[in-house]
Amino acid sequence: MKQTLWVLMSPDNNHWDEGFAREELERLAKKCGVEFLETGETRDSGAGQERKFVLEGDEEDVYNLVAELDEALY
């Protein structure tokens, strides 16, 4: 399964920074067995700067990564 995901890398409230967000994504991708590719696309979500990623792996593994990343960052 492939899925795109926008990740808030630099929130306006400074609760975390891009380095922490990237470390969490890498850690959880390894834990869940999901590959990810950074697309280079960015956008301002109104809450900060987001970066677009493409996730690839088993559907359940991708779902688990997204759920755990939401918990870790948001």
Side-chain angles (χ1 to χ4, degrees):
M1 162 184 186
K2 282 188 179 182
Q3 177 180 329
T4 59
L5 176 67
W6 287 96
V7 178
L8 184 59
M9 301 298 280
S10 301
D12 290 342
N13 63 13
N14 295 318
H15 280 139
W16 64 88
D17 63 10
E18 186 171 345
F20 177 77
R22 190 172 302 280
E23 287 174 9
E24 284 299 293
L25 178 58
E26 290 172 359
R27 179 183 71 80
L28 292 171
K30 185 176 181 178
K31 175 183 172 188
C32 295
V34 174
E35 298 291 322
F36 70 92
L37 175 67
E38 188 173 334
T39 66
E41 289 183 59
T42 61
R43 69 181 183 189
D44 188 340
S45 66
Q49 193 69 27
E50 292 183 323
R51 190 170 306 272
K52 187 177 183 181
F53 293 88
V54 176
L55 307 176
E56 186 173 356
D58 291 337
E59 184 174 358
E60 184 176 340
D61 295 336
V62 170
Y63 174 80
N64 288 337
L65 181 146
V66 172
E68 289 190 43
L69 188 63
D70 281 346
E71 187 175 315
L73 296 182
Y74 307 104

